[in-house]
C-alpha cells in the first residue's frame, strides 16, 4: 500500500478501514543469505539498503524485543552534519543528504524537520574552535554560519545572555540540521525493508553464534537455530554482550543516557540549541514539549533506566541557559544504553571471523547516522569492501593509533 494525501483523504472518508499492517510477522526460516542482528534504526536501515540498493534477497532482521524499543525510539531526535575531522564529516554529510530524501525513498512521513542546530559558544577560544569546525564543514559540502551574540539574540531572545556565569558570545549555526521523529524512522525502514522481502522477526534474541573453522554458519536464537551466509551485528548498547558470544572483547563501554520531555508549551524554540558551557541540548517537539538531554550517567550498565543526580544536573544546565523554563513541569523521562567507543567514533568493519560483521560504537550520536550507517554497512555486507565514507571506521585503528577522536579526550567515554 502506497501512502499519499489522496489515500489519507479516502481513508478519512471511509472510516479508516483500509489501512493494512505496516510489516508482516513471518516465522523464521531455517536459513538466510544475510542475517542482521538488531532491529534498531541501523539494523533496519541496513536491511532496507541491502535489499533496495544492493539488490540482495533472503535477508532477515532478528530483534530480541520489538521494533522501536531500543535507542532508535529513545533518543532526542537530533540530526546534523557538523563534525570537524575528515574521517567523520563526509560520513555524516552523506547521512544528512540521505535524511533529506528519506521520506520519498521510504514513502513514509518521518517528520524530517531541518529547523537548524545552534551550538552556542561562551569564550574566545570556543569561538576559534567553532570557526575551525565550521570551515571544515563547508569544505566537506555541509553548511555553517558563525553568529555573534546579536545574531543569536535574533534567533532565540529568551536565552540568558548577560546575567549568566558564562555569557553567550555567539553560535555556530548549522541550518540543515534539525530533528526527525525517531520511532517513525524505525517504522519507515521496517515497512520498506518488509516491502522488499526482508523478514523482520521480533521477540527473537540471538544467544550465540555457530562458528566452525573460523567461519560463522548461523546464529542460535530464542526461536531456534537460523543458518546464515553472512551475519551483520548492529545491536548498539548491547554490542559488548552480543559480540562476547563470538569470543570478541570490544573497545566499547555501555553507559545510560537519559532523555526528558516537558509538558506542552506554545512554540518558543526555533530549532535545536546546545549549551557550550554545560551539557544540555534542547529542541521543541511539534506537540510543544521541550525535548532535552545532557550527560551520561557515569557508571557502566545495560539497564535502560537512569538515576536522579543526572536529572538534577541536566535541569541545572537548562536553567542556566534559559531561566524561562523554571516553572515548566517535566512530563516524561527515560534511559537508553549507549555503546561508547574509546575515541567517540563508530566501528563498521569485518571481524576476524569469516562472514561476521560488526556495526557499533555509536556513543550518543548514532541516530543522525542511521541512514548512512545502514547504507555503508549494507555496502560492506554486499561487497566485502568498506564504503568510501566509512573507510576509517575500522577495528585496527585502536591498534595502529589512528583514532578519530573528534573531541580529543582520549579513552574517556564519559567525556565524549
Ligand atoms: C537518551 C538518548 C538520546 C540520544 N540522542 C541522540 C540524538 O539527539 N542524536 C543522535 O544522533 N543520536 C542520539 N542518541 C543515540 C542514538 O539513539 C543511538 O546511537 C542509535 O539509535 C543506535 O543505533 P540503533 O538505532 O540501531 O540502536 P537500537 O535501537 O538500540 O537498536 C539495537 C537493537 O538491538 C536489539 N538487540 C540487542 N541485543 C540483541 C540480541 N541479542 N538479539 C537480537 N536483538 C538484540 C535491541 O533490542 C535493539 O532494538 C541518543 C540516545 C539516547 C539513549
Amino acid at each position: 500500500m502506497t501512502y499519499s494525501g489522496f489515500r489519507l483523504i479516502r481513508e478519512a472518508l471511509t472510516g479508516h478501514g483500509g489501512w493494512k499492517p505496516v510489516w508482516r510477522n513471518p516465522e523464521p526460516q531455517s536459513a538466510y543469505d544475510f542475517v542482521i542482528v538488531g532491529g534498531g534504526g541501523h539494523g533496519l536501515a541496513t536491511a532496507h539498503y541491502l535489499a533496495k540498493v544492493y539488490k540482495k534477497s533472503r535477508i532477515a532482521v532478528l530483534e530480541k524485543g520489538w521494533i522501536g524499543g531500543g535507542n532508535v525510539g529513545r533518543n532526542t531526535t537530533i540530526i546534523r552534519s557538523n563534525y570537524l575531522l575528515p574521517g567523520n564529516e563526509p560520513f555524516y554529510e552523506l547521512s544528512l543528504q540521505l535524511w533529506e530524501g528519506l521520506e520519498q525513498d521510504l514513502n513514509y512521513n518521518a517528520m524530517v524537520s531541518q529547523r537548524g542546530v545552534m551550538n552556542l559558544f561562551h569564550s574566545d577560544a570556543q569561538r576559534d574552535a567553532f570557526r575551525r569546525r565550521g570551515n571544515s564543514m563547508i569544505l566537506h559540502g555541509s553548511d555553517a554560519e558563525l553568529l555573534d551574540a546579536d545574531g543569536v539574540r535574533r534567533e532565540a531572545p529568551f536565552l540568558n545572555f548577560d546575567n549568566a556565569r558564562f555569557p553567550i558570545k555567539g553560535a555556530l549555526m548549522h541550518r540543515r540540521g534539525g530533528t526527525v521523529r525517531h520511532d517513525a524512522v524505525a517504522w519507515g525502514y521496517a515497512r520498506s525493508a518488509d516491502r522488499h522481502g526482508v523478514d523482520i522477526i521480533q521477540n527473537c534474541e540471538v544467544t550465540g553464534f555457530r562458528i566452525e573453522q573460523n567461519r560463522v554458519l548461523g546464529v542460535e536464537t530464542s526461536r531456534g537455530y537460523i543458518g546464515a551466509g553472512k551475519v551483520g551485528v548492529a545491536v548498539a548498547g548491547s554490542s559488548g554482550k552480543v559480540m562476547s558470544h563470538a569470543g570478541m572483547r570490544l573497545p566499547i563501554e555501555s553507559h545510560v543516557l537519559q532523555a526528558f520531555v516537558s509538558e506542552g508549551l506554545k512554540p518558543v524554540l526555533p530549532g535545536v540549541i546546545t549549551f557550550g558551557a554545560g551539557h544540555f541540548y534542547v529542541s521543541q517537539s511539534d506537540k510543544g514539549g521541550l525535548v532535552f538531554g545532557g550527560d551520561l550517567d557515569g557508571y557502566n550498565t545495560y539497564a535502560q533506566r537512569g538515576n536522579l543526580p543526572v536529572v538534577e544536573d541536566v535541569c541545572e544546565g537548562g536553567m542556566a541557559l534559559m531561566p524561562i523554563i523554571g516553572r515548566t513541569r517535566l512530563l516524561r523521562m527515560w534511559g537508553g544504553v549507549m555503546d561508547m567507543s574509546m575515541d567517540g567514533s563508530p566501528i563498521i568493519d569485518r571481524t576476524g571471523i569469516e562472514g561476521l560483521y560488526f556495526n557499533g560504537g555509536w556513543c550518543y550520536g548514532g541516530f543522525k547516522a542511521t541512514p548512512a550507517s545502514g547504507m555503508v554497512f549494507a555496502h560492506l555486507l554486499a561487497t566485502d569492501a568498506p564504503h568510501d565514507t566509512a573507510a576509517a571506521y575500522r577495528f585496527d585503528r585502536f591498534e595502529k593509533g589512528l583514532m578519530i577522536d573528534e573531541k580529543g579526550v582520549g579513552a574517556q567515554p564519559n567525556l565524549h
Side-chain angles (χ1 to χ4, degrees):
M1 181 201 300
T2 302
Y3 294 148
S4 66
F6 172 72
R7 175 97 211 181
L8 197 62
I9 293 167
R10 207 174 84 187
E11 290 298 331
L13 295 176
T14 55
H16 291 287
W19 300 119
K20 298 274 181 316
V22 171
W23 57 84
R24 294 165 298 130
N25 191 16
E27 284 301 311
Q29 295 176 23
S30 57
Y32 293 90
D33 288 352
F34 297 89
V35 163
I36 312 293
V37 185
H42 293 219
L44 293 166
T46 303
H48 161 82
Y49 294 115
L50 207 46
K52 185 168 180 185
V53 176
Y54 292 94
K55 308 288 179 220
K56 299 294 180 189
S57 54
R58 289 175 35 84
I59 305 166
V61 175
L62 310 183
E63 166 53 47
K64 85 170 172 191
W66 68 96
I67 297 306
N71 291 337
V72 68
R74 291 170 180 264
N75 58 68
T76 39
T77 77
I78 300 166
I79 61 163
R80 57 190 168 88
S81 156
N82 61 355
Y83 282 65
L84 169 73
L85 298 180
N88 276 333
E89 183 51 20
F91 173 82
Y92 287 100
E93 181 53 27
L94 168 69
S95 209
L96 192 52
Q97 287 174 14
L98 290 169
W99 282 117
E100 285 167 339
L102 187 81
E103 291 165 319
Q104 288 69 30
D105 184 21
L106 301 182
N107 177 230
Y108 201 85
N109 180 10
M111 296 168 70
V112 177
S113 171
Q114 292 178 289
R115 52 186 71 180
V117 173
M118 199 160 59
N119 298 136
L120 301 175
F121 58 78
H122 309 262
S123 69
D124 292 346
Q126 227 177 359
R127 178 193 289 117
D128 290 350
F130 278 16
R131 184 185 288 278
R132 191 161 158 244
R133 177 140 65 99
N135 286 337
S136 169
M137 289 158 63
I138 292 166
L139 284 171
H140 286 106
S142 187
D143 69 289
E145 223 173 286
L146 203 69
L147 303 181
D148 60 13
D150 286 341
V152 176
R153 217 183 276 270
R154 278 193 290 278
E155 300 281 342
F158 49 83
L159 295 178
N160 195 4
F161 281 88
D162 304 315
N163 194 23
R165 182 164 171 208
F166 303 104
I168 295 167
K169 297 206 163 190
L172 182 65
M173 174 61 114
H174 171 44
R175 295 201 187 271
R176 286 166 61 240
T179 57
V180 182
R181 178 168 173 183
H182 50 194
D183 37 20
V185 174
W187 301 331
Y189 272 121
R191 172 174 174 271
S192 179
D194 179 86
R195 291 175 97 192
H196 287 90
V198 174
D199 281 359
I200 296 171
I201 302 166
Q202 301 180 80
N203 298 311
C204 182
E205 178 172 2
V206 170
T207 53
F209 299 96
R210 195 171 288 179
I211 297 167
E212 278 176 21
Q213 293 174 338
N214 203 40
R215 169 159 198 97
V216 71
L217 303 178
V219 290
E220 309 288 351
T221 81
S222 52
R223 296 176 67 173
Y225 174 74
I226 300 175
K230 291 183 176 179
V231 178
V233 176
V235 293
S238 302
S239 294
K241 258 195 212 169
V242 172
M243 295 310 282
S244 72
H245 298 316
M248 286 183 68
R249 187 152 182 259
L250 303 178
I252 287 176
E253 284 183 10
S254 288
H255 290 259
V256 170
L257 181 70
Q258 301 185 62
F260 308 85
V261 178
S262 77
E263 62 186 328
L265 305 175
K266 287 183 181 173
V268 55
L269 296 193
V272 179
I273 301 175
T274 71
F275 190 22
H279 215 142
F280 176 81
Y281 45 89
V282 61
S283 64
Q284 188 168 19
S285 77
D286 290 347
K287 282 196 287 187
L290 300 179
V291 181
F292 57 96
D295 223 338
L296 290 175
D297 287 32
Y299 47 85
N300 299 146
T301 178
Y302 288 111
Q304 292 188 135
R305 57 177 181 273
N307 69 4
L308 288 171
V310 170
V311 179
E312 190 177 4
D313 182 67
V314 172
C315 292
E316 276 174 5
M319 279 299 291
L321 182 67
M322 35 194 286
I324 58 161
I325 63 170
R327 298 182 66 183
T328 306
R329 278 167 297 194
L330 196 58
L331 193 64
R332 293 186 288 131
M333 53 186 277
W334 61 85
V337 184
M338 317 308 323
D339 37 334
M340 303 298 298
S341 69
M342 288 299 128
D343 61 357
S345 296
I347 300 163
I348 304 174
D349 203 358
R350 303 161 67 149
T351 68
I353 297 160
E354 206 52 39
L356 182 62
Y357 301 76
F358 177 74
N359 173 324
W362 290 102
C363 301
Y364 34 61
F367 178 63
K368 73 175 94 67
T370 306
S373 167
M375 180 68 92
V376 306
F377 200 36
H379 181 93
L380 180 66
L381 282 159
T383 65
D384 265 323
H387 190 277
D388 283 350
T389 62
Y393 296 152
R394 314 293 289 272
F395 276 112
D396 65 3
R397 72 176 188 264
F398 298 99
E399 227 173 84
K400 295 182 173 165
L402 298 174
M403 257 77 88
I404 313 168
D405 194 346
E406 185 82 26
K407 288 199 175 169
V409 295
Q412 299 185 69
N414 56 316
L415 299 180
H416 281 291

